[in-house]
Structure formats: structure tokens, C-alpha cells
């Protein structure tokens, strides 16, 4: 089934895009890799106006300014693989991009689209939660563009649901440049090496100190209605010297903290098993330096 | 009634004026409006790569892109690779190595190979496999395809 839109708007500025959204009944398209599949399958997301934001050139690219890294919403997954700031300041983003879909999809898919799609399995969300990222939301209110920042950790409310309102555009994602000694690790498991939607994904980050991590972050995808930060697991990991026995104790906490479901991709017990195996693997990687 | 959007797009080096509805995919525009049937519709969901074309120098799944987005941009399809009667080196390599059986995946494989070689002129086998991970072939078992990419890279 092909979904038809009555109108088409190709915005070239945030002002034009947010004005169109303020008029109501518009569907944003960025890379289209989620939208086209979803609208074809169910009509989900289809409105009367198709609003193409790909021509807003200010919204693409990565910048480092005053210790803060800002990623434009339209930055593609391929861009992350080749970006110098990412490689230097937050290579966990490139490692994640490297596990994302296929070459063709990476060329089209955007970081903003991955977040707004709000899938519990959205891969880029995982390292961005590890990095304590905020998202910037822009809207046309009282005759001007207004913006608000929301912590990514508070952005998602359920599968496909987030706090962004109908008239808001996600314009950028930003985080503080990680401190010296930061390591970040991403892992995901799917049914085949390529084009896999994660059955479980994990992100771990922190500052390496005395054989362990301080300011530890542990994030899981596809084990709850939204990607989650595992606060108890983070607390268990904080400052812990990593060895085989201590890693096992962290895995027990992680196991008690996740609450996966069974679906077409995996059963709940298998996801639990993956949480243990994958967390062990990334922590072992951290321990091995 | 849907608004018709008039776009100007360079297809295989030639400027074309096309009138499309907002929801039309690039793939359907190529096949139905321009009669370029090289790119194939198989899954329609980005999983198989049979619809791969090159837009402004990067490969995309044309089933997942709206035709309206092509306004002012350049598209190359498998029909645009060949000059005069001679196949281009990637096409010729697929023929020489027997990397084609039913042929349904071939236009997508050839376009993705063209993109891969434009970014990495001498890929090793692992890089070839990674580069073609978004393209599915049900016939050849892939070995001949990898040989073809190697020949094209050398040629
Ligand atoms: C074959 C295939 C494989 C895939 N593999 C993976 C994978 O490995 N990992 C993964 O995480 N995902 C994967 N995906 C899903 C998809 O590619 C990603 O979620 C992608 O990042 C979506 O970005 P997009 O720009 O294409 O979004 P779009 O499809 O353009 O948009 C997605 C949604 O977000 C909204 N939106 C987009 N941008 C904005 C914005 N700036 N402001 C407000 N709303 C916005 C749209 O209205 C739409 O509802 C895959 C998809 C396919 C088809
Ligand atoms: S038809 Fe486009 S990827 Fe399969
Ligand atoms: S040759 Fe038949 S699908 Fe590849």
C-alpha cells in the first residue's frame, strides 16, 4: 500500500519547518528509512503534508565548541563513521554506526530520525545515553523559533513515544566532550551480522581508573519499553576493580534490573542470557584495556 | 487529491522534468515514470538492495526515498553505467566471473559495487563483504560476486 500525502513542503530553514509543523497535520521526513517502511505497512505517521527537512543544511554535521559536542539532527550514520570530531572525542558513536544496518541505509538514515522513531532497539540512542546527551527541540511559538533542551534520558516514554510534541522539530543533540581517560563500548546482537535490528544492545562508558570505571554508565536497548540507563548496575560498577569475580557480581545486578519481553526477535529468557553475555564481554574489554 | 510536484532531476546525465505525487518512491518514479526498469522492487523495505541507485555520489535504497527529494539532484542507475555498446568494467566483471544467475539482484549489486569502489578502489574480501552486506542474492552463493568485484577493482 502506498500512502499519499496531499501536500509537500521542502523546508530550507528551521523557521520554515517549524512554521509548517505549527500549522498541524505534517509528517516530518529526514532519511525516510523508518517512515517509508512504517507508512507502507500500517499508514502510521501519515498526515496530509509531507515535510522534507533534508534541505536545512545547518542541521547536518558535528561541531566541537567550548568542550561541548553538537550533532545536527540530519547528520547521517555514514557521516559519524568518517567525522573527525567523533573519532577524536566520542569514538563509541562511530563504533555504533559501524554496526548499523547496511551501507545504503547508513547513507540515508539520520541520527535525529533514529531518536525520534523512539524504538527501544534504536542503536544510536545507546551511546548517546552513555554520553549523557541532551536533545534540542525547536518549535514556532508566538511568531518566533523557540527551543528547549531535554535530557535524552528523559526523552522516551514508551515504544515509539517521546516527550516531543507534534509541533516540535528535533534540531540537534549535544553532550560534554568526555574527560581524559574515557572509554565507551557498544555491543549488539541480532540474528545475522548485517542489517540486524538489535535483539539486545548494550553501552558501557566511564573514566578508566585503577582497573575499573568511575562515573560509570550502563545502558541497554531492547530489554524494556524504551532504551534504559541501568542505575543499579551503574552503582554496582562504580569504582569497582574489574576481574572475573567482580564482573559476575555486576552481571547479577544487571539481570535483576532488566525486564525484557518475548517478541518475534527473541524470547525474554534469551534476552536475559544476552544481557549477561554481552555485558560480560564489554566489561572484559574494558578490563583488558 | 494529491498535489503534483514538478521536479527537475538529472538522471544518468540527462536533465528530466518529472511530475510526481509526494508519496511516490524514487524506485517507482524510475520504473513507472521514466521507464528505467533496471532497479528492481523486491522487498520494498530496505532489506535486499535490489533497488540500489546512486544519488549525488552515494548509494541509497530507492524504495526508501521519496521522488520529491530528488529535485535538483543527480541519480545514476544501472542504465547509466554503460557508454555506447560497451559494458562498464563492473558490469563486464559480473559477466566474466559468472556472478549472475537469475539476474534479479544484479543491477543493485553492480550499483553498490560501483559505490564501494568509488570510496575504496582496492577493497579486500572482507571489505567487499561488508560493502555488499545490504544486497541479497538467492542464487550465486556470493563467491562469484566477490570474484567479480575483485576483477573490477583490478581492471
Ligand atoms: C533495512 C533496515 C535496517 C535498519 N537497521 C537499523 C539498525 O541497525 N539500527 C537502528 O537503530 N535502526 C535501524 N533501522 C531503522 C532506521 O534506519 C533508523 O531508525 C534511522 O536512523 C531513522 O532515521 P531516518 O532519518 O531515516 O528517519 P525517518 O524515517 O525520516 O524518520 C523517522 C521518524 O522520526 C521523525 N523525524 C525524523 N527526523 C525528525 C526530526 N529532526 N524532528 C522531528 N521528527 C523527526 C519522522 O517523522 C518519523 O516519524 C533500519 C531500517 C531499515 C529499513
Ligand atoms: S526493494 Fe529496496 S531494498 Fe529491497
Ligand atoms: S543472481 Fe539470482 S538473486 Fe542474485
Amino acid at each position: 500500500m502506498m500512502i499519499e500525502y496531499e501536500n509537500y513542503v521542502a523546508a530550507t530553514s528551521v523557521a520554515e519547518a517549524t512554521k509548517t509543523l505549527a500549522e498541524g497535520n505534517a509528517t516530518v521526513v529526514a532519511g525516510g528509512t523508518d517512515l517509508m517502511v512504517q507508512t507502507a505497512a500500517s499508514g502510521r505517521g501519515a498526515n496530509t503534508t509531507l515535510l522534507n527537512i533534508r534541505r536545512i543544511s545547518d542541521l547536518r554535521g558535528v561541531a566541537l565548541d567550548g568542550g561541548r559536542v553538537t550533532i545536527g539532527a540530519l547528520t547521517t550514520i555514514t557521516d559519524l563513521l568518517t567525522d573527525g570530531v567523533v573519532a577524536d572525542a566520542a569514538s563509541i558513536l562511530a563504533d555504533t554506526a559501524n554496526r548499523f544496518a547496511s551501507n545504503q541505509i547508513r547513507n540515508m538514515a539520520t541520527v535525529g530520525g533514529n531518536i525520534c522513531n523512539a524504538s527501544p532497539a534504536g542503536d544510536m540512542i545507546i551511546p548517546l545515553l552513555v554520553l549523557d546527551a541532551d536533545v534540542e527541540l525547536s518549535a514556532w511559538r508566538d511568531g518566533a523559533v523557540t527551543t528547549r533542551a531535554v535530557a535524552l534520558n528523559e526523552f522516551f516514554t514508551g515504544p515509539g513515544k517521546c516527550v516531543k510534541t507534534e509541533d516540535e522539530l528535533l534540531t540537534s543533540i549535544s553532550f560534554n566532550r568526555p574527560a581524559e581517560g574515557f572509554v565507551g563500548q557498544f555491543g549488539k546482537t541480532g540474528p545475522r551480522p548485517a542489517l540486524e535490528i538489535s535483539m539486545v544492545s548494550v553501552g558501557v562508558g566511564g573514566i578508566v581508573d585503577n582497573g575499573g570505571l568511575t562515573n560509570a554508565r550502563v545502558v541497554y536497548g531492547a530489554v524494556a519499553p524504551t532504551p534504559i540507563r541501568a542505575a543499579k548496575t551503574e552503582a554496582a560498577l562504580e569504582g569497582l576493580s574489574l576481574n572475573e569475580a567482580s564482573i559476575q557480581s555486576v552481571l547479577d545486578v544487571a539481570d535483576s534490573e532488566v525486564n525484557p519481553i518475548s517478541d518475534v526477535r527473541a524470547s525474554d529468557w534469551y534476552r536475559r542470557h544476552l544481557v549477561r553475555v554481552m555485558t560480560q564481554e564489554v566489561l572484559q574489554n574494558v578490563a583488558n584495556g | 487529491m494529491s498535489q503534483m510536484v514538478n521536479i527537475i532531476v538529472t538522471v544518468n546525465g540527462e536533465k528530466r522534468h518529472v511530475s510526481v505525487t509526494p508519496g511516490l518512491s524514487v524506485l517507482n518514479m524510475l520504473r513507472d515514470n521514466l521507464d528505467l526498469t533496471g532497479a528492481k522492487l523486491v522487498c520494498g523495505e530496505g532489506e535486499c538492495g535490489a533497488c540500489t541507485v546512486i544519488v549525488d555520489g552515494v548509494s541509497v535504497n530507492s524504495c526508501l526515498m521519496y521522488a520529491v527529494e530528488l529535485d535538483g539532484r543527480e541519480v545514476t542507475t544501472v542504465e547509466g553505467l554503460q557508454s555506447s555498446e560497451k559494458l562498464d568494467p563492473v558490469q563486464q566483471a559480473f559477466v566474466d566471473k559468472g556472478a549472475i544467475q537469475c539476474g534479479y539482484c544484479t543491477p543493485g549489486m553492480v550499483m553498490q559495487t560501483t559505490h564501494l569502489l568509488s570510496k575504496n578502489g582496492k577493497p579486500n574480501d572482507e571489505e567487499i563483504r561488508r560493502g555488499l552486506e545490504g544486497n541479497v542474492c538467492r542464487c550465486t552463493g556470493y563467491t562469484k560476486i566477490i570474484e567479480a568485484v575483485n576483477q573490477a577493482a583490478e581492471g
Side-chain angles (χ1 to χ4, degrees):
Chain A
M1 177 177 61
M2 191 177 100
I3 291 293
E4 254 321 339
Y5 297 88
E6 280 171 33
N7 312 300
Y8 174 67
V9 175
T12 53
S13 66
V14 172
E16 191 184 355
T18 51
K19 262 190 225 171
T20 305
L21 284 176
E23 285 162 14
N25 264 319
T27 298
V28 170
V29 59
T33 61
D34 276 317
L35 186 68
M36 283 193 82
V37 175
Q38 288 162 1
T39 48
S42 64
R44 181 188 147 191
N47 269 312
T48 49
T49 299
L50 182 66
L51 170 60
N52 177 7
I53 59 171
R54 266 321 252 281
R55 312 233 158 187
I56 311 175
S57 47
D58 307 349
L59 294 188
R60 184 168 177 184
V62 184
L64 174 63
D65 188 17
R68 194 128 175 114
V69 178
T70 302
I71 301 175
L74 296 179
T75 306
T76 66
I77 310 302
T78 296
D79 292 341
L80 295 178
L81 279 173
T82 50
D83 187 85
V85 172
V86 168
D88 187 41
S91 59
I92 187 176
L93 290 171
D95 296 341
T96 308
N98 198 33
R99 301 290 310 276
F100 196 104
S102 65
N103 194 170
Q104 292 96 318
I105 301 273
R106 289 192 294 273
N107 288 341
M108 304 197 270
T110 66
V111 181
N114 196 236
I115 295 173
C116 290
N117 193 50
S119 161
D123 283 335
M124 294 319 306
I125 298 164
I126 306 301
L128 289 168
L129 283 171
V130 168
L131 293 163
D132 285 339
D134 292 327
V135 298
E136 181 192 73
L137 301 174
S138 302
W140 187 260
R141 307 258 167 88
D142 302 321
V145 176
T146 60
T147 64
R148 63 170 174 140
V150 179
L152 188 59
N153 196 23
E154 288 159 13
F155 185 74
F156 304 104
T157 55
K161 296 202 173 72
C162 60
V163 301
K164 180 179 75 61
T165 56
E166 289 277 293
D167 67 339
E168 283 178 316
L169 191 69
L170 192 157
T171 34
S172 67
I173 303 105
S174 64
F175 52 86
N176 287 335
R177 184 197 173 119
E180 201 61 39
F182 174 86
V183 292
Q185 289 263 339
F186 172 81
K188 87 183 222 187
T189 304
R192 51 181 174 148
L195 280 172
E196 54 186 14
I197 303 293
S198 298
M199 294 197 287
V200 168
S201 53
V202 56
V204 166
I207 313 290
V208 179
D209 187 24
N210 259 332
L213 293 174
T214 61
N215 210 12
R217 293 286 177 274
V218 180
V219 178
Y220 292 107
V223 298
T226 69
I228 55 159
R229 259 184 70 180
K232 288 182 193 144
T233 312
E234 289 179 357
L237 185 60
E238 184 67 34
L240 184 75
S241 170
L242 292 172
N243 55 47
E244 215 164 291
S246 71
I247 289 177
Q248 283 302 324
S249 69
V250 176
L251 301 185
D252 291 338
V253 180
D255 188 49
S256 72
E257 201 168 17
V258 299
N259 192 13
I261 57 160
S262 296
D263 65 10
V264 290
R265 291 201 190 91
S267 61
D268 57 349
W269 73 262
Y270 186 54
R271 284 202 162 96
R272 268 187 193 285
H273 173 70
L274 287 176
V275 164
R276 290 193 84 98
V277 172
M278 293 166 64
T279 309
Q280 179 170 26
E281 189 176 301
V282 292
L283 291 180
Q284 201 64 59
N285 286 345
V286 172
N288 297 344
Chain B
M1 256 299 279
S2 286
Q3 169 198 2
M4 295 304 286
V5 185
N6 296 315
I7 62 168
I8 302 177
V9 48
T10 304
V11 183
N12 298 330
E14 199 185 319
K15 265 211 166 79
R16 307 287 295 257
H17 294 251
V18 198
S19 190
V20 296
T21 56
L24 189 74
S25 69
V26 169
L27 179 61
N28 284 339
M29 180 200 87
L30 291 170
R31 295 181 59 86
D32 300 341
N33 297 43
L34 300 181
D35 216 14
L36 292 168
T37 55
K40 300 283 182 275
L41 173 63
V42 179
C43 67
E45 298 194 340
E47 296 276 353
C48 77
C51 64
T52 303
V53 301
I54 294 177
V55 175
D56 288 345
V58 298
S59 59
V60 300
N61 300 111
S62 64
C63 68
L64 291 187
M65 188 182 228
Y66 292 109
V68 279
E69 258 212 56
L70 291 179
D71 191 27
R73 301 173 73 178
E74 266 182 50
V75 185
T76 308
T77 70
V78 71
E79 290 90 343
L81 293 183
Q82 187 178 348
S83 55
S84 68
E85 290 303 295
K86 222 166 151 276
L87 295 179
D88 99 317
V90 177
Q91 291 175 309
Q92 190 60 52
F94 272 68
V95 174
D96 292 348
K97 293 292 177 185
I100 307 170
Q101 287 186 25
C102 81
Y104 221 73
C105 70
T106 310
M109 287 285 181
V110 166
M111 295 315 289
Q112 181 56 25
T113 301
T114 303
H115 172 74
L116 171 68
L117 295 180
S118 77
K119 300 282 164 190
N120 177 359
K122 282 267 176 281
N124 60 34
D125 283 4
E126 189 47 36
E127 288 165 339
I128 295 171
R129 285 200 186 88
R130 280 288 331 254
L132 296 179
E133 70 192 351
N135 294 72
V136 174
C137 175
R138 295 293 283 143
C139 304
T140 63
Y142 300 99
T143 304
K144 304 271 179 203
I145 291 177
I146 292 165
E147 288 173 12
V149 179
N150 273 317
Q151 176 182 318
E154 279 153 21

